[in-house]
Amino acid sequence: MTGRLNSAQPYALGLFRIVVGLLFACHGAQTLFGVLGGADGQGGTVPAGTWPGGYAAVIQLVGGTLVLLGLGTRFAAFVASGSMAYAYFKVHQPEALWPVQNGGEAAAFFCWAMLLLIFTGSGALGLDQLFTKRQAASAGRSATKKAPVAA
């Protein structure tokens, strides 16, 4: 069973990346454009360029889209994770200690999910993998296979 799970790991990681990227991008679109309920569920928007909400929304939309596509995944996830850590500690944590008390569950989850993607990369189904295979083929060598993450 471990062999089957290990062989499916890049695809599971790719699906994880797609879902996290989509949710992150939707959060940014919600804040910037007022779609999906708008900013804070009030139907409004946060103007681009306002600190910190406008910048965070742009990072969420662009970073989430890049993670969703698997393009520059590690860099996009690094920026996104940092922005969510900032959001948690500057906006949510001063209200209360625990995320369930201060409304910071989403910020904490996105911070840790993006941190994981920094270390794992895009997995399967990402544009990063497609470009790596093309570069390897054009250089006349096969793309190196990555070993699954094991504990």
Side-chain angles (χ1 to χ4, degrees):
M1 182 159 137
T2 301
R4 286 186 193 180
L5 291 174
N6 285 345
S7 66
Q9 185 179 22
Y11 299 100
L13 182 59
L15 290 173
F16 174 79
R17 174 189 46 78
I18 289 168
V19 170
V20 169
L22 176 65
L23 293 174
F24 201 61
C26 285
H27 196 69
Q30 178 184 31
T31 306
L32 280 178
F33 306 123
V35 297
L36 306 170
D40 296 326
Q42 303 298 322
T45 63
V46 172
T50 59
W51 180 257
Y55 288 101
V58 171
I59 290 171
Q60 291 164 2
L61 181 62
V62 173
T65 301
L66 289 172
V67 168
L68 168 69
L69 296 173
L71 185 61
T73 303
R74 290 181 172 187
F75 178 73
F78 177 76
V79 173
S81 180
S83 75
M84 289 295 97
Y86 178 87
Y88 182 76
F89 286 110
K90 290 300 261 183
V91 176
H92 298 287
Q93 198 276 328
E95 299 297 320
L97 178 62
W98 297 101
V100 295
Q101 293 175 311
N102 62 31
E105 299 99 328
F109 168 76
F110 280 125
C111 178
W112 286 103
M114 294 295 185
L115 185 69
L116 177 67
L117 290 172
I118 294 168
F119 291 98
T120 61
S122 63
L125 312 171
L127 293 179
D128 288 344
Q129 296 295 322
L130 179 66
F131 292 143
T132 301
K133 288 178 185 176
R134 282 191 180 170
Q135 287 176 349
S138 67
R141 61 185 190 278
S142 63
T144 57
K145 281 200 128 176
K146 293 181 182 177
V149 177

